[in-house]
């Protein structure tokens, strides 16, 4: 659906050249929610802005459904842009227009008749759940409602792709969840391809199918969300994954009680495993005791992922047998400390 | 006492002069609005980082605006005598004041327009570009409507300046209340005429301010 080939963008400032996007190649499939995560300044915004040519690439190519966006100009670029919706962190609504008029704006640009516009606006208002607020002005709406207007506006011309640049970063956690639920809903209902940028790992975890991690303009890691969560390869990715999988503290900060016997083990498990009673099986099948120290399970679009710290007490042999059993069950078991 | 005071005034001349002032002010405000908006949009669009970024055009426009804004109005009228005579055919009467009024006020208003446009959120312009809007659509549907409260409050301020300019233009033959106050009031030592003419000018100014304020408040949905 969307192909990026060797895409680079350098900004020339008075004193230096900033390479905001550095030789990025990615392939995004039709109908997927593709996340791009990175810290501020990683080049994420520049990357999405290259997708609708709000920035002109220094080198490389972007193609959407086989059409080379990077080489479009004038009217053909404007037509292509009408098929790419964009949602912004700060909503970017016209304050002089009501909700309905804001949503109608892209339809006016596409020169639709007033009748067609009114019909489409009503559909969109219903889709994003803003019934009854059509005649309000943006200044009378909450952040979440403003973003719903932003999403409705982005969907007005039935785009093939929706670009979201930090769409939830200005919202509180609860509103973030409702906007993410709306995006998932739209993705399923309309089969829309969504490219989503964020610096928050829980956004990726909640709605993305695949993720790319950006650092200094480069994509350092890329893959299905679950795989990246389970086996992060790069330092940067590990840092992001730790944001949500590790309980409050880092493993190294867990206070190991010297008095206690047995081994402290970190278990990492995936998908349906999180819902299986493997702990009680271990206790029943082997001559060991298990204390749970701390743990956390996270839901993603394609299953759950979790990390659990336990202390196993028993003979050395029994502990080894129990750990072998867990590993057979495809649960990663890493011994942190032996008594 | 009041009746003797009133007797000194030729009310018919007073009304004619009032309407001349209103006429000059309204035409000048309308033309200033148009010309100033065009100049202001040009100043804004050719500025660094904007749609038509163009240093030579911006510098030249800004220079012209600044020069005309800095010339004292009374001097401007004198400088424009050949131009006005060519255009209107005479230097006398309310219509003859119009070229100087418009040329004097439009650059001032252009600056206010430019300031108002700069306050329009860059993100909104970017969002419009992302939707595939043409430059003309952005000017017409985004820049001007989003800046409208600034444009209206700006034209109110400019309008008030224009009313005082009409009085000055009157002194050099432009007609209106200023002309009346000078010819019939000052030159014939009739202070009543000066007083009533002043009050009428104040009334025009207050009405202008009042309408402008209400209008600005009504369209400002920020
Ligand atoms: N118009 C620009 N001119 C100069 N430098 C820019 C410009 N836009 C972005 N940059 C630089 O490019 C880098 C990446 O920026 P950005 O894409 O906004 O990152 P992110 O969205 O990940 O925070 C930053 O170092 C930023 O300062
Ligand atoms: Mg950004």
């Amino acid at each position: 659906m969307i192909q990026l080939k060797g895409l680079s963008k350098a900004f020339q400032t008075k004193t230096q050249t900033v390479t905001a996007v550095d030789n990025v190649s990615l392939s995004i499939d039709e109908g997927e929610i593709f996340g791009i995560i990175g810290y501020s300044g990683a080049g994420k915004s520049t990357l999405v802005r290259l997708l609708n040519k709000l920035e002109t690439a220094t080198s490389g190519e972007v193609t959407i459904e086989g059409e080379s966006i990077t080489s479009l100009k004038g009217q053909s670029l404007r037509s292509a842009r009408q098929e790419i919706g964009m949602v912004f962190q700060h909503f970017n609504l016209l304050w002089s227009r009501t909700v309905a008029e804001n949503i109608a704006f892209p339809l006016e640009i596409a020169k639709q008749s007033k009748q067609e516009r009114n019909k489409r606006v009503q559909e969109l208002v219903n889709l994003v759940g803003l019934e009854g607020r059509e005649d309000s002005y943006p200044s009378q709406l909450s952040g979440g409602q403003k973003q719903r207007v932003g999403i409705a506006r982005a969907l007005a011309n039935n785009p093939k792709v929706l670009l979201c640049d930090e769409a939830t970063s200005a919202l509180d956690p609860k509103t973030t969840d409702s906007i993410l639920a709306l995006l998932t809903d739209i993705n399923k209902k309309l089969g829309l391809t969504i490219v989503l940028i964020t610096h928050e790992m829980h956004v990726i975890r909640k709605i993305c199918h695949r993720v790319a991690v950006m650092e200094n303009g480069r994509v350092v890691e890329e893959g299905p969300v679950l795989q990246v969560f389970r086996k992060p390869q790069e330092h940067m990715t590990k840092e992001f994954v730790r944001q949500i999988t590790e309980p409050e503290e880092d493993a190294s900060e867990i206070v190991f009680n010297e008095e206690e016997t047995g081994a402290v083990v970190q278990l990492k498990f995936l998908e349906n495993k999180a819902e299986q009673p493997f702990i009680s099986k271990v206790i029943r099948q082997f001559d060991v005791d298990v204390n749970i120290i701390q743990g956390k399970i996270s839901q993603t679009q394609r299953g759950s992922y979790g990390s659990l710290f336990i202390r196993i007490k028993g003979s050395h042999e029994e502990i080894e047998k129990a750990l072998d059993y867990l590993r057979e069950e495809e649960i990663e078991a890493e011994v942190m400390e032996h008594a | 006492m009041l009746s003797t005071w009133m007797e000194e005034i030729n009310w018919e001349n007073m009304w004619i002069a009032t309407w001349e002032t209103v006429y000059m002010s309204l035409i000048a405000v309308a033309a200033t609005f148009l010309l100033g908006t065009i100049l202001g949009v040009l100043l804004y669009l050719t500025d660094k980082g904007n749609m038509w970024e163009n240093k030579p055009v911006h510098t030249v426009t800004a220079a012209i605006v600044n020069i005309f804004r800095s010339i004292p109005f009374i001097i401007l009228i004198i400088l424009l005598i050949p131009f006005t005579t060519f255009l209107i055919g005479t230097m006398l009467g309310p219509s003859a004041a119009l070229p100087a009024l418009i040329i004097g006020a439009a650059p001032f208003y252009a600056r206010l327009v430019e300031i108002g446009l700069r306050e329009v959120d860059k993100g909104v312009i970017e969002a419009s570009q992302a939707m595939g809007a043409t430059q003309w659509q952005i000017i017409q549907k985004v820049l001007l409507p989003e800046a409208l409260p600034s444009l209206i409050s700006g034209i109110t301020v400019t309008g008030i300046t224009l009313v005082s300019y009409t009085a000055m233009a009157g002194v050099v033959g432009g007609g209106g209340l200023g002309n009346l106050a000078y010819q019939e009031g000052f030159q014939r030592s009739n202070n009543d005429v000066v007083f009533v003419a002043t009050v009428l000018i104040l009334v025009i100014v207050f009405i202008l301010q009042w309408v402008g304020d209400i209008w600005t408040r009504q369209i400002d949905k920020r």
Side-chain angles (χ1 to χ4, degrees), chain A residues 49 52 54 75 78 81-82 84 86 88 92-97 105-106 108-109 111 137 139 153 157, chain B residues 121 123-124 126-135 137 141-142 145-149 219-222:
Chain A
R49 291 159 54 80
N52 58 4
L54 281 178
Q75 184 52 47
R78 289 195 291 273
R81 280 175 174 170
Q82 287 177 13
I84 307 170
M86 195 165 189
F88 303 86
N92 296 355
L93 303 177
L94 285 98
W95 64 257
S96 59
R97 288 178 172 234
F105 182 48
E108 284 173 33
I109 289 173
K111 302 225 158 64
Y137 284 91
S139 61
R153 180 177 73 174
N157 282 319
Chain B
D121 186 357
V124 177
E126 186 174 288
S128 318
Q129 283 167 338
M131 285 177 227
T134 60
Q135 298 191 336
Q137 283 171 326
K141 289 176 184 288
V142 182
E146 291 284 293
L148 198 58
I219 56 170
D220 197 345
K221 307 287 190 217
R222 274 177 284 203

Side-chain angles (χ1 to χ4, degrees), chain A residues 40-41 43-46 89 165-166 197:
Chain A
S40 172
K44 310 178 296 292
S45 294
T46 308
Q89 177 175 4
D165 189 353
E166 306 267 7
I197 281 182

Side-chain angles (χ1 to χ4, degrees), chain A residues 127-160:
Chain A
L127 178 70
V128 300
L130 281 174
E131 296 92 341
R133 301 311 304 263
E134 291 90 339
D135 298 325
S136 304
Y137 284 91
S139 61
Q140 301 167 317
L141 301 178
S142 69
Q145 289 170 327
K146 281 184 199 149
Q147 198 54 294
R148 281 170 192 270
V149 179
I151 291 170
R153 180 177 73 174
L155 296 175
N157 282 319
N158 294 304
K160 300 175 282 196

Side-chain angles (χ1 to χ4, degrees), chain A residues 19-53:
Chain A
T19 309
V21 172
D22 191 359
N23 195 21
V24 168
S25 296
L26 281 176
S27 176
I28 298 169
D29 298 331
E30 182 154 8
E32 80 174 332
I33 305 184
F34 192 92
I36 298 169
I37 190 165
Y39 288 122
S40 172
K44 310 178 296 292
S45 294
T46 308
L47 185 66
V48 269
R49 291 159 54 80
L50 285 164
L51 298 187
N52 58 4
K53 216 181 171 187

Side-chain angles (χ1 to χ4, degrees), chain B residues 13 21-22 53 55 87 95 105 113 193 206-207 219:
Chain B
N13 283 352
T21 295
V22 171
E53 180 172 342
K55 201 158 185 195
L87 211 67
S95 294
V113 170
V193 172
F206 286 146
I207 291 174
I219 56 170

